[in-house]
Amino acid sequence: MKAITEEVAFGWWIRGIHRWSSHLMVAAVILHAIRVFFTGAYRAPRELTWASGALVLLVVLGFGFTGYSLLYEQLSYWGATVAGNLTEAVPLVGPTLARLLRGGGGISENTVTRFFVLHIGILPTALFLLLGLHLLLVRLHGVSEFVFRDEAEKRERTFPFFPDHLLTEVGIGVALTFLLTCLACIFPPGLGERADPVHAPAHIKPEWYFYFTFRWLKWTGLSFAVLSLGLAAFLLVAWPWVDRLLSRLSPKRDLSIGIGLVAVLALLGLTLREALG
Amino acid sequence: MTLEAKKIVVALLSVLFLLSLLVVAWIEGGKQRLVPQPPMELTVESEGCYECHKEKTPGIAAQWADSRHARLGVGCYECHQAKEGEVDGWKHEGRWIATVVTPGDCGRCHAAIQAEFEKSHHAKGGQILGSLDNVLGEIVEGPAATNLGCRQCHGSKIEFAKDPSGQIARGNEGKPLFDTATWPNSGIGRINPDGTLGSCGACHSRHRFAVAMSRRPESCGKCHMGPDHPQAEIYEESKHGIAFAVAVDQGLMSLEGEEWIVGRDYNAAPTCATCHMSATRTQPSTHDPGERISWTLRPEVSKHTEDWERKRERMRDVCSACHTPDWIDAHYRQYDAVVELYNEKFAKPGGRIMAALREAGVLTPTPFDEEIEWTWYFLWHHEGRRMRMGASMMGPDYTQWHGAFEVGHRFYEEFIPQARGLGEGKPQALAVLEEVMGSPEHAWKKGLDPKVREQLSDFYRKKYGQEVR
Amino acid sequence: MIPRQARRSLLRWVALGFALLASYGTGAAYAVRFLFPTRRRRERRVFACFTSSLPPGASLKRRAPGGREVLLTNAAGEIRALSNICPHLGCTVHWEEHESRFFCPCHQGVFAPDGIAISGPPAKAGQRLERFPVSVEGEAVFLHLTEEV
C-alpha cells in the first residue's frame, strides 16, 4: 500500500481515483435510494427492482468496508475490529460468522486476505448479478416517472441510443473522471500509521457512511445495536411489501413517507452527531 | 440539449480532463521516491558478533543497524578487529578484537580525514600535562575531578591495570583490564593504546555515527561551553544560533547529505560545523577547524595564528554564502577592534604588572598560591576570553556584560589594588603600575572629565527624571 | 459537395473524438505506467573487505542484498569480483579451490578464475560470469553493485 502510494509511478493518482470514486459511489447509491423511496417508485410492479437495489446498497457498503480495512492502517484496523465484534454479537451464528470473516480469532494478516477476496471476488460478482437484475427489471418495467394528475396522456418519449444517449453517458463519464482527478490531486489519499494491534488510537472513526452505525453503537447496547441494524437492513430490502401492509392498515394516509422521513432524519442526525463530535 | 451542443460540451469536458491529467503528471514529476537501500549483508565475522550482541547489548546493536555503516556492510568486526598480540586486543569467541576503536581503525577507510584531524589542535587536546589548567585540575582540585572533568573533553591517555608482576592485568578470555581512571573516555585528544591521537566518537558518537548529529551545535557544546570558553552559549545568543533554533522548529534545517555545502544544500542557518569545518561552494570540508581561524583567543594576549591571512580568507569564503564582502569586512573590523582593545588596554598592561611583581620577588614560582594569580587567571582565562569570543561570534552579552564589563571590574577593582598592595616597598614594580595607570585609557580612574559628568547627569534627568550626583 | 450543415457536424465529431482520444489516451498511458512500473537501475557502493583479508591468491565470499553472492579473488594483486549465478540457466556456481575453477553442478559448466566459461553449455554459448566493478579506498575494498528499484 505504501509502495503504491509513494513509489510506483502514478500510484497515488490511481489510488486517489479509486478512493474518491468509492465515496461518490456510496453517496450516489444512497441519494438514488432516497429519491426512489420518496417518489414511491418502489411500488408495484417494481418491488423486486427496489429489493435488488437495496441489496446493491448493502453490497456497496460492503465494498467500502472491506476496501477501507484493506489499508491496514491504525484507524481502519480498529474499525475492522469493531465490526468483527459486532458480527460476533449476532445471536446464534455470530461467533462462527466472525471467525469466518476474520480468518481466526482476531484481525490479522489472515483477515486481510479474506477481505481481499471479498473485495475483488465475491462482492464484485454479487454486485454484477444484482445490478444485472436491477437493470433488467428497470428495462422491463420502464423508468418510473412522475405522473401528475392533470398531465396529458403520456407521450412516447424514446430517443435513439446512438448517438444521443451514448454521448450523454460519455459526457457524464468525462465530467466524473475530471472531477475524480481533481479530487485526487487536491486531496490525495494519505496513509495513516500502520496497524498496531496493541495500541488503539485515541479516536477511532470509520468511513463517513458508517458514522451512523458507530454512533448508534455508542448510544445503545451491543446486542441491541446489532439486532436493530439487522432489522433495519431487512426492512430496507423488504420495504415494498411492508409498505403494502401499511397501506392496507391505513389506506388513506401514506405512512411510508412519514417513516422514511423519520429514518432519513435519524440517519442524518446520527451521522452529523458523529461527524461533529 | 441538441446533439451538436452535446458534442461541444463533451469535447470541452475532455479538454478539462486532459488538463487535470497534466496537473497529475506535474505532481508525479515532483514526487521524490525514497526507495530505501536494503543493508549490505555482513561479513561472516561481523555476522557472528551481531547475532549475539543484539541480545546482549541491544542498544548499540540497534544504533549500528540504523547507521550508514550498516547499509554499506561495515559491521562490528571491521572496526573492532585487532591484530594478534596487539596490546589492547584479546581473543573473543575465536577472533582478535579490541574495545577501543581509535582514529587508526577509522582511518583504514577514512584516511584523509584522519590526516586532517591529526594536524588539528583537537588531536593534541590530551597533551595538557604541562598546562596551568592541569595544575588546577590535578593538584588544586584533585584527580577524580580531572578524570571525569578535564579529560572527558581533552582526552585521557588510556592505560591498563597492572597485575602484581607489572604485566597488564587480564580478565576472562584474556581481556585486558583498563585503568579505570583513563577509560571510559571520549575526549577528543585521547592518547590511544595504538599510539594514535584522538577519538572520532567525541563528535560522531559511537555506533550510529549520524552525520546530522555531529553537525549540530550541541555536539561541539559538550566541551565548548562554560565560563572559560562559552562558545555554545555565545552561538545560542547570536543571530546565527537563533536562526538555527527557529529553522529546526520549522523543519527548514537540513543536516543530512554527504557534502552539505552551505548556500547550496542548506540556507536556513549555520551551525558550528558550517563555519569551522564544512564545505562551501569553493572549499572542501576539513577535520581541522583551525584552518579558518585567524586569531587565537586562548592565551593571555591574543595573537594572529600562523598564516592567518589565508585562514581568514577561508572563513570569509564561508561568510560569503550569505554576506556581502563589505559586510564581512565591517564585521572583521569590529571583531579585530575588540581583540585589540582587550590586548592593549588590559592584557598587555596586566602582563607587564605581573612580570614586574614576579621580578620584584613578591610572587612565588607556585601558581595559584597568591590571590592575584587567581585574579589574573579569571581576567584573561575566563572574562578576557568571553569578551574576545563573544566578539568573534557576535554574542553581544558575552562581548560586554559577561566580557568587557567583568574584565574592567576585575582589572580596576581587584587586580590593580592587589598589585598595589603587593608592590608596597618595591619601587620598580610600583613604577610599572603607575606608568600603566597613567596612560590615557586609564586616566578616568583619577577622575572623570567634568564635561562627561555633566552629560551623565543630563541624560538621567531627561530620560528617567532622576538626579545623579 | 457535402452540405455545410453535415460538414460542420462531421467536423465536430472529429474534434470530439480527438479530444476524447487525447484525454483518455493520456489517462490510459498513466495506468500502463502504473501497471508496469519501470524499474530504474541504481548503482551502489558497498563494503566488501579489507585488503589485508584478501592477499594475493586468496578468495572470499560476500553475500549481497537480495541473496546474490559475490566471489572476490585476488589474482596476483588484481582484485576481481564475480557473481556466482551461472549465465546458462541461473544455477549457483561454486569455487573449487583445488581445481582453480568455478563449477556449475546443473549442467557441468566450468569457468576460469576470470569468469570466462571454458567448458559445458555456457562455454558453447560464449558466456561468462557477471563481473562487478571493484574499487580500493585506503585499506577498504568496495564493490559496485547495480540494483533495480
Side-chain angles (χ1 to χ4, degrees), chain B residues 166-316:
Chain B
Q167 298 291 308
I168 291 178
R170 289 182 183 273
N172 206 8
E173 287 186 324
K175 181 184 182 180
L177 303 179
F178 289 102
D179 171 359
T180 53
T182 66
W183 178 263
N185 186 283
S186 64
I188 201 163
R190 202 176 58 206
I191 302 164
N192 299 299
D194 63 0
T196 58
L197 298 178
S199 151
C200 303
C203 305
H204 293 282
S205 289
R206 291 189 275 256
H207 298 114
R208 189 157 168 263
F209 312 102
V211 72
M213 182 198 264
S214 2
R215 284 169 182 164
R216 286 189 60 121
E218 290 89 340
S219 278
C220 313
K222 176 196 165 197
C223 298
H224 290 276
M225 53 87 72
D228 56 337
H229 43 47
Q231 288 103 331
E233 293 94 324
I234 293 167
Y235 170 78
E236 223 170 80
E237 187 203 354
S238 75
K239 278 291 177 196
H240 287 159
I242 297 163
F244 174 75
V246 174
V248 167
D249 279 358
Q250 299 185 336
L252 299 171
M253 194 66 213
S254 147
L255 290 159
E256 302 287 352
E258 195 155 344
E259 288 186 294
W260 205 55
I261 288 175
V262 61
R264 192 194 77 181
D265 300 332
Y266 65 105
N267 300 294
T271 72
C272 314
T274 301
C275 301
H276 294 288
M277 302 180 79
S278 302
T280 70
R281 288 164 297 170
T282 55
Q283 237 182 124
S285 74
T286 174
H287 274 68
D288 176 5
E291 279 187 17
R292 299 172 189 171
I293 289 179
S294 46
W295 277 113
T296 163
L297 306 178
R298 183 195 60 81
E300 295 172 18
V301 176
S302 274
K303 286 195 277 291
H304 277 305
T305 51
E306 202 187 319
D307 200 13
W308 68 275
E309 287 101 336
R310 276 253 299 282
K311 290 176 178 170
R312 182 164 289 189
E313 261 330 296
R314 293 195 193 112
M315 186 62 95
R316 292 178 56 109

Side-chain angles (χ1 to χ4, degrees), chain A residues 146-200:
Chain A
F146 277 115
V147 181
F148 296 100
R149 253 161 261 151
D150 54 351
E151 204 177 338
E153 194 173 314
K154 256 173 80 180
R155 293 161 285 137
E156 198 56 30
R157 291 217 323 184
T158 55
F159 51 84
F161 177 73
F162 181 87
D164 287 62
H165 185 65
L166 182 72
L167 211 53
T168 314
E169 293 290 310
V170 168
I172 293 170
V174 177
L176 280 177
T177 37
F178 168 63
L179 179 70
L180 286 170
T181 301
C182 289
L183 285 170
C185 286
I186 301 167
F187 307 105
L191 197 58
E193 229 176 295
R194 202 188 145 73
D196 176 358
V198 185
H199 304 289

Side-chain angles (χ1 to χ4, degrees), chain B residues 295 297 312 330-339 388 391-392:
Chain B
W295 277 113
L297 306 178
R312 182 164 289 189
H331 161 69
Y332 267 113
R333 265 192 225 122
Q334 292 179 337
Y335 167 37
D336 290 347
V338 170
V339 175
R388 289 171 280 170
S392 74

Side-chain angles (χ1 to χ4, degrees), chain B residues 68-116:
Chain B
R68 219 169 142 223
H69 275 162
R71 290 202 297 283
L72 273 175
V74 177
C76 324
Y77 182 73
E78 277 64 60
C79 303
H80 280 282
Q81 63 182 279
K83 290 189 193 74
E84 192 169 342
E86 223 173 327
V87 58
D88 60 337
W90 86 99
K91 207 170 178 185
H92 177 48
E93 303 288 337
R95 289 186 219 290
W96 278 87
I97 61 157
T99 301
V100 185
V101 175
T102 71
D105 298 315
C106 303
R108 296 180 78 184
C109 296
H110 305 285
I113 290 174
Q114 191 200 355
E116 283 164 11

Side-chain angles (χ1 to χ4, degrees), chain A residues 53-85:
Chain A
L55 287 173
V56 164
L57 172 59
L58 294 179
V59 168
V60 165
L61 289 178
F63 263 115
F65 171 69
T66 51
Y68 182 57
S69 301
L70 278 172
L71 288 180
Y72 211 62
E73 62 181 26
Q74 267 290 58
L75 287 182
S76 64
Y77 173 88
W78 289 97
T81 307
V82 170
N85 291 338

Side-chain angles (χ1 to χ4, degrees), chain A:
Chain A
M1 201 42 79
K2 203 172 149 61
I4 290 181
T5 316
E6 286 167 16
E7 286 164 26
V8 181
F10 296 108
W12 60 276
W13 176 63
I14 300 274
R15 241 199 94 197
I17 287 189
H18 187 174
R19 181 128 196 204
W20 277 108
S21 51
S22 80
H23 287 311
L24 289 192
M25 182 155 165
V26 174
V29 173
I30 290 175
L31 290 176
H32 177 63
I34 291 175
R35 201 268 296 165
V36 168
F37 187 91
F38 286 108
T39 54
Y42 54 86
R43 289 183 179 143
R46 301 193 177 88
E47 297 100 327
L48 272 178
T49 319
W50 168 268
S52 63
L55 287 173
V56 164
L57 172 59
L58 294 179
V59 168
V60 165
L61 289 178
F63 263 115
F65 171 69
T66 51
Y68 182 57
S69 301
L70 278 172
L71 288 180
Y72 211 62
E73 62 181 26
Q74 267 290 58
L75 287 182
S76 64
Y77 173 88
W78 289 97
T81 307
V82 170
N85 291 338
L86 277 182
T87 319
E88 214 158 55
V90 174
L92 295 177
V93 292
T96 319
L97 208 59
R99 269 195 97 76
L100 188 67
L101 199 63
R102 295 191 294 221
I107 306 287
S108 67
E109 274 79 0
N110 293 343
T111 320
V112 174
T113 47
R114 298 220 168 179
F115 276 22
F116 187 69
V117 167
L118 275 175
H119 194 77
I120 66 145
I122 296 169
L123 288 176
T125 314
L127 185 67
F128 271 113
L129 292 177
L130 287 169
L131 262 185
L133 180 67
H134 194 69
L135 291 178
L136 191 74
L137 291 169
V138 169
R139 294 296 291 184
L140 216 63
H141 299 302
V143 179
S144 82
E145 286 176 34
F146 277 115
V147 181
F148 296 100
R149 253 161 261 151
D150 54 351
E151 204 177 338
E153 194 173 314
K154 256 173 80 180
R155 293 161 285 137
E156 198 56 30
R157 291 217 323 184
T158 55
F159 51 84
F161 177 73
F162 181 87
D164 287 62
H165 185 65
L166 182 72
L167 211 53
T168 314
E169 293 290 310
V170 168
I172 293 170
V174 177
L176 280 177
T177 37
F178 168 63
L179 179 70
L180 286 170
T181 301
C182 289
L183 285 170
C185 286
I186 301 167
F187 307 105
L191 197 58
E193 229 176 295
R194 202 188 145 73
D196 176 358
V198 185
H199 304 289
H203 303 285
I204 45 175
K205 277 208 173 157
E207 293 278 65
W208 58 269
Y209 38 82
F210 286 121
Y211 277 4
F212 72 95
T213 57
F214 204 62
R215 182 48 69 174
W216 189 240
L217 190 61
K218 280 186 195 167
W219 277 350
T220 62
L222 182 60
S223 39
F224 179 74
V226 169
L227 286 177
S228 54
L229 286 174
L231 182 67
F234 171 75
L235 285 178
L236 179 71
V237 176
W239 194 255
W241 295 280
V242 177
D243 173 71
R244 202 180 293 164
L245 214 67
L246 285 175
S247 59
R248 228 173 267 159
L249 286 174
S250 143
K252 286 197 194 108
R253 296 170 68 183
D254 196 346
L255 284 176
S256 280
I257 297 289
I259 293 172
L261 212 59
V262 169
V264 168
L265 285 177
L267 286 185
L268 209 62
L270 284 169
T271 304
L272 283 177
R273 178 69 190 77
E274 185 60 39
L276 299 177

Side-chain angles (χ1 to χ4, degrees), chain C residues 107-118:
Chain C
H107 301 96
Q108 278 76 43
V110 177
F111 302 85
D114 61 1
I116 292 171
I118 45 178

Side-chain angles (χ1 to χ4, degrees), chain C residues 4 35 65 70 103 109 120:
Chain C
R4 220 174 127 194
L35 288 174
V70 179
F103 184 71

